[in-house]
Amino acid sequence: MASPILPNTSNFLGVALVVNRLRDGPLFVFHYPPRILQPGVSPSRDSVSRDELDDDDELLNQMSHPPFGAPSGSLPKPVDLQNWNHDDHLETDSGSQIVPWEHVAGYPTKDLESLLTPNRAFHKNLFHVSLDQLCFASYPIYVPENGIWRKKKKQPKYPPPKSSENADSASKYGESSILASDVPQIETRDMAEDAVAANQPDEADEKKSGMTMFNLVFILNPKKHEAKELAENLYLHIIRKINKAYKYSQQRSDFVWKESKRILALKDKGREAKTKMSTLWREILDVSSLAASMQDVYEAVSHNKIAALQLETAEGTVTHSVQIPVPFYLTDLPPDDESGSRGLWITTANSFVEDDSLNDPGFLDKNFALLLMCDEKKIISELQTDPDETTAAMIEFVRLSKPTMSFHQIGQGTSLSPAQVRKYAQHFIFWRRAIAIPPLHARDIYILSPNSDMRLLPRASQAWARAFPLAPPLPEFLAALSAAPRSYKLFAPSKNHRPTYLAMLAWLMRGGWVTQLCTFAYVVVWPEILYEVDYELEAEALRAAQTEEARTSADASSAADSSSSQESSSPPLSSSDLHSPASPKTAADRADSDSSTAGAAMPPSMTSSTATIKLLTTTTTTAGEQAAEQARLDRLATRAHREAAEKAAAHARRPPPRATAHPSLNDAPHLAHLTPYVVVDAGRVGERESRYLSAIGRRLPEHHSTSAPGPGAGARGKGGAAANLNPRQSWPVFWKYFNGRCALERVALHEDMKRRDAWNLLNAMSEYLLCVRHW
């Protein structure tokens, strides 16, 4: 599985807000971080020689040769440009000044604000434009056609009666805070409640002459092959959702434009006072929640975290959270240069799930458990602060969720339904509070993860010692796991220590230090079975050929008998017919007269068909041609008969197949030319492979008593009754798991049977399985 293209500090340079007004035109309101360098520029000027000019120097060189029509004398001295720290203001010879925040990514904001103001055709659509190495992605939001942001209230046909109790409850719960998942629903409801002010003509006129568009732009510097995927990921998960949250706030209280006016006023004041850019930006972030939300978006998204927005509007606080969902596991080792994937859990348990199984809730419930990524008490305390109606059920779900219990086991209780379990599990996984793993079991095998990040070992060792003070040191425990694989329960000193050691295993799994070593199987067909199936197919082909030959001979004899009977039933010829020279022409004339007589009795619609038949009868072959054709057919029949006889003789000379107790050890001479055959996917086979599986099933015993357990099954308890199992009957049920993608450790979960019984059945079939182990 290829890792998704995610934003980072190298390909995600910053965010910018552009608005448009009818009177003032486009305005570049704010950008973060304060200094957005052009691609290829080093932030440290001391490490770059004067001969190796960076892109900002190139920009300043362009300013020395003004491309934007700057008048002569309006540029600073080259010495000042080279020493400019992009924080102070510069003065030109003519007395004008260069403001540091009026250049972003090496381009003047006057040019960028026009470029980043698309027309209305891009309203609520992806706007993606490239400028040299930079890419700008956004989701422009335009004012409605009537020029008013706030929607008018729709008067209900039968308005409900107003009461003081309803008003108090609405003010208590409807205006305090907005949850992230409720934004679309609340938007429709609150727009109707808050649109009373839209009836005021002065406010409506002011809005008509105010802001007509705002556009939150993401400034990217991706590689060529990553540009499209990166822009789409940001658009689907970040850009569109944030702009919708801004639109919602703008419709409620004109939030975006009010904050933009405040930011522009501070920038104008800072321009006059020649305030340093760093000082001004700190002031803007302190007073504007819109600017602070842009800072939160950049800091969180560039570091692959969840961005939590908090917009302080005039009508209450609007909160919204966005993120790019990232996989919490890998199926293979990442490249050496991909350091961001180091430390992720490595497994194939999630990627090998079939598409049809993903639509089966029961399959997922039995195969996965929930592993919380932080302390249970911390999650519960966070949930208790949320006055939501589902809080109690989610807290109960957190308390019941254990990494050793599958979703199916949790749903069997009385507290939560299976649908609630799946819903809450998806919620915690999406917001990175938990991950889905196969249920932990003491009899499974766990090893040191080859993707573990050993750079974090010193810090992890301290956390390990605090969490498990009586356990062996973390380096020693990991060294023991990286030795010869064995059942995890063997690491525990006694059975009473197993719960603690399972908690230690969950801690290691949470940090990506260990992974499960699973067993995967393919069906192997030994030469004895290959020979038997080939022998049966050849015998069936010979029997089919003999049956066909017998049927053909019977048809030929019946045809000869019918022709002889027709000749004997024809009237005898007179002496005049025998001695008169009957020419072919006379016979033809007689045939013509007969056909004409018959044609007189036919309907007119059959005249053309009669003519065709008469033409065919006049072009019959001669007796010599008929004899040659018959001789050719006889030769073909003789050859086919001879080949069939040779095949039958060769088949009779072959030794008949003989089933042995262990086909893998059968070294008979007639099997020496055959090599074992591996069925790649026993659940999807053709006719010949299906015969192989059936032949294997006939060799399996009908009764199998519990014996030595299989890999990871553990020893049988003392005094336990031996269960009578039927491997032959279970073979058609089990063979769908022998495809190299389904771990045998999960067969018992799939079939809802005891783990010991499943491993005993697999042991009975082990002679016909080719097993491999990996994560």
Side-chain angles (χ1 to χ4, degrees):
M1 181 190 68
S3 300
I5 306 301
L6 299 176
N8 52 54
T9 54
S10 62
N11 58 21
F12 180 26
L13 302 183
V15 291
L17 179 65
V18 178
V19 301
N20 187 33
R21 298 198 73 194
L22 291 176
R23 290 177 295 183
D24 302 331
L27 298 172
F28 198 97
V29 179
F30 186 71
H31 67 274
Y32 189 87
R35 185 183 179 188
I36 301 179
L37 298 178
Q38 197 170 6
V41 176
S42 173
S44 176
R45 299 182 55 88
D46 298 335
S47 61
V48 182
S49 63
R50 294 294 181 90
D51 297 333
E52 299 175 359
L53 295 178
D54 55 15
D55 289 335
D56 279 334
D57 295 329
E58 183 180 353
L59 168 66
L60 299 176
N61 289 337
Q62 292 177 1
M63 295 171 61
S64 301
H65 306 282
F68 308 110
S72 59
S74 62
L75 295 174
K77 298 178 181 180
V79 176
D80 296 336
L81 292 178
Q82 293 176 358
N83 298 325
W84 190 30
N85 58 4
H86 298 270
D87 193 27
D88 297 322
H89 296 244
L90 290 181
E91 290 189 2
T92 63
D93 296 337
S94 61
S96 60
Q97 62 176 329
I98 296 178
V99 184
W101 55 79
E102 292 184 353
H103 288 84
V104 175
Y107 297 96
T109 56
K110 286 294 183 183
D111 295 340
L112 291 178
E113 64 189 17
S114 300
L115 177 67
L116 301 178
T117 306
N119 55 30
R120 185 176 284 272
F122 289 95
H123 172 58
K124 297 175 68 174
N125 287 292
L126 174 62
F127 176 69
H128 189 197
V129 62
S130 298
L131 185 62
D132 293 335
Q133 300 180 22
L134 296 178
C135 293
F136 301 89
S138 63
Y139 184 79
I141 301 293
Y142 267 84
V143 69
E145 296 290 345
N146 58 4
I148 301 176
W149 285 99
R150 189 187 298 271
K151 295 182 180 179
K152 290 185 178 181
K153 180 179 179 181
K154 295 182 180 180
Q155 297 292 340
K157 188 175 182 180
Y158 301 101
K162 296 183 179 180
S163 63
S164 59
E165 181 180 357
N166 293 339
D168 295 341
S169 62
S171 62
K172 181 178 180 181
Y173 299 107
E175 304 295 338
S176 60
S177 178
I178 300 171
L179 297 177
S181 59
D182 298 333
V183 168
Q185 292 81 1
I186 294 179
E187 179 178 348
T188 304
R189 186 184 69 246
D190 288 352
M191 287 306 101
E193 294 176 355
D194 301 335
V196 178
N199 296 328
Q200 301 176 5
D202 297 339
E203 186 178 359
D205 293 340
E206 193 275 332
K207 287 191 175 181
K208 286 183 180 179
S209 62
M211 181 181 64
T212 60
M213 188 274 304
F214 68 87
N215 190 17
L216 183 67
V217 183
F218 282 59
I219 306 173
L220 310 176
N221 178 32
K223 299 177 182 178
K224 286 187 177 181
H225 65 282
E226 298 178 351
K228 182 178 180 181
E229 184 177 353
L230 178 61
E232 289 179 352
N233 284 337
L234 284 170
Y235 170 73
L236 292 176
H237 302 290
I238 304 294
I239 301 176
R240 183 171 59 177
K241 295 181 180 180
I242 292 179
N243 277 280
K244 285 185 177 181
Y246 286 173
K247 175 189 174 185
Y248 172 70
S249 302
Q250 173 68 18
Q251 288 177 334
R252 293 189 71 194
S253 58
D254 203 21
F255 168 77
V256 176
W257 173 236
K258 290 179 179 179
E259 292 291 310
S260 298
K261 288 193 296 184
R262 181 182 301 178
I263 295 173
L264 291 173
L266 290 174
K267 290 172 66 176
D268 291 340
K269 182 179 179 181
R271 180 187 179 94
E272 294 177 359
K274 297 183 179 180
T275 307
K276 288 187 176 183
M277 187 177 184
S278 57
T279 304
L280 177 62
W281 247 239
R282 282 195 299 268
E283 182 181 356
I284 292 175
L285 293 174
D286 289 338
V287 301
S288 174
S289 62
L290 176 63
S293 67
M294 295 174 59
Q295 178 189 21
D296 295 338
V297 168
Y298 174 76
E299 297 293 345
V301 175
S302 61
H303 293 87
N304 192 20
K305 297 180 180 179
I306 299 176
L309 309 183
Q310 189 169 353
L311 307 178
E312 302 294 340
T313 67
E315 301 186 7
T317 302
V318 178
T319 59
H320 194 55
S321 299
V322 294
Q323 65 155 334
I324 297 180
V326 294
F328 55 85
Y329 67 94
L330 294 175
T331 59
D332 204 351
L333 292 176
D336 296 336
D337 56 348
E338 193 173 328
S339 59
S341 301
R342 183 66 62 182
L344 287 179
W345 177 42
I346 184 167
T347 181
T348 57
N350 302 56
S351 62
F352 282 166
V353 178
E354 300 288 345
D355 294 337
D356 51 355
S357 299
L358 288 174
N359 299 325
D360 182 11
F363 179 88
L364 299 178
D365 291 350
K366 293 180 180 180
N367 281 269
F368 293 98
L370 194 72
L371 176 63
L372 299 176
M373 297 303 292
C374 55
D375 186 53
E376 175 183 327
K377 296 180 181 179
K378 180 181 178 181
I379 296 178
I380 292 178
S381 63
E382 292 177 355
L383 290 174
Q384 289 174 344
T385 60
D386 186 7
D388 191 80
E389 58 183 6
T390 61
T391 299
M394 297 182 71
I395 292 176
E396 183 66 18
F397 172 73
V398 172
R399 289 173 177 168
L400 293 177
S401 296
K402 306 297 179 185
T404 56
M405 294 180 60
S406 65
F407 298 147
H408 176 73
Q409 292 173 315
I410 299 175
Q412 295 301 309
T414 58
S415 302
L416 300 171
S417 65
Q420 286 179 307
V421 172
R422 286 190 292 270
K423 177 182 177 181
Y424 297 152
Q426 292 174 356
H427 174 81
F428 284 108
I429 292 172
F430 180 80
W431 292 110
R432 308 186 190 183
R433 296 295 187 179
I435 61 175
I437 63 171
L440 301 180
H441 201 282
R443 292 173 180 171
D444 286 333
I445 301 175
Y446 298 91
I447 60 173
L448 175 66
S449 174
N451 195 43
S452 57
D453 192 355
M454 289 300 171
R455 296 171 299 180
L456 305 177
L457 185 59
R459 184 183 304 174
S461 299
Q462 298 176 1
W464 170 272
R466 290 192 301 267
F468 309 102
L470 301 180
L474 181 58
E476 294 182 9
F477 196 71
L478 293 178
L481 288 174
S482 61
R486 53 177 174 166
S487 180
Y488 183 75
K489 70 172 187 175
L490 299 178
F491 292 96
S494 66
K495 192 172 183 179
N496 296 331
H497 289 81
R498 284 190 187 178
T500 303
Y501 270 71
L502 285 175
M504 295 162 54
L505 178 62
W507 191 95
L508 295 172
M509 188 74 71
R510 188 179 296 116
W513 294 102
V514 298
T515 188
Q516 184 180 357
L517 185 64
C518 299
T519 307
F520 302 88
Y522 301 92
V523 175
V524 58
V525 186
W526 299 108
E528 175 185 309
I529 300 174
L530 294 173
Y531 181 84
E532 177 182 321
V533 171
D534 185 65
Y535 189 90
E536 291 176 355
L537 290 174
E538 186 176 310
E540 290 178 3
L542 291 175
R543 286 194 296 269
Q546 292 175 0
T547 303
E548 181 67 21
E549 184 179 358
R551 188 181 62 82
T552 304
S553 301
D555 293 344
S557 61
S558 61
D561 294 341
S562 61
S563 61
S564 61
S565 61
Q566 289 177 2
E567 291 178 358
S568 61
S569 61
S570 60
L573 297 176
S574 60
S575 58
S576 60
D577 294 334
L578 293 173
H579 297 286
S580 62
S583 62
K585 182 179 179 180
T586 305
D589 293 341
R590 186 165 53 248
D592 291 341
S593 62
D594 294 342
S595 62
S596 61
T597 305
M602 292 182 181
S605 60
M606 298 182 63
T607 306
S608 60
S609 300
T610 306
T612 304
I613 295 173
K614 183 171 69 176
L615 178 63
L616 293 175
T617 55
T618 57
T619 59
T620 57
T621 57
T622 61
E625 292 177 349
Q626 292 179 355
E629 180 65 18
Q630 185 62 34
R632 188 183 68 83
L633 294 177
D634 292 341
R635 289 194 302 271
L636 292 177
T638 302
R639 183 186 303 173
H641 180 73
R642 183 172 63 252
E643 291 177 354
E646 292 176 356
K647 289 182 179 179
H651 179 73
R653 288 193 299 269
R654 296 180 63 179
R658 183 174 62 87
T660 60
H662 298 285
S664 59
L665 303 178
N666 191 348
D667 55 354
H670 63 279
L671 305 178
H673 66 286
L674 297 176
T675 57
Y677 175 80
V678 177
V679 180
V680 177
D681 189 351
R684 300 171 181 174
V685 294
E687 179 184 359
R688 181 179 287 271
E689 292 179 338
S690 178
R691 287 176 176 267
Y692 293 156
L693 297 177
S694 299
I696 293 174
R698 291 193 297 269
R699 285 168 167 77
L700 293 175
E702 294 186 3
H703 299 283
H704 179 76
S705 299
T706 55
S707 57
R716 187 177 62 185
K718 294 182 180 180
N724 290 325
L725 306 175
N726 192 339
R728 183 178 300 180
Q729 183 180 358
S730 303
W731 174 250
V733 180
F734 276 36
W735 72 38
K736 62 176 176 287
Y737 303 116
F738 306 144
N739 53 12
R741 296 189 299 272
C742 182
L744 300 186
E745 286 79 3
R746 253 97 62 193
V747 172
L749 295 174
H750 297 170
E751 299 300 328
D752 197 15
M753 60 190 308
K754 292 183 179 180
R755 184 185 182 90
R756 190 191 320 278
D757 294 343
W759 277 113
N760 283 323
L761 288 173
L762 291 171
N763 277 334
M765 307 169 186
S766 60
E767 186 174 1
Y768 307 98
L769 300 180
L770 178 64
C771 296
V772 295
R773 284 186 175 181
H774 60 79
W775 54 77

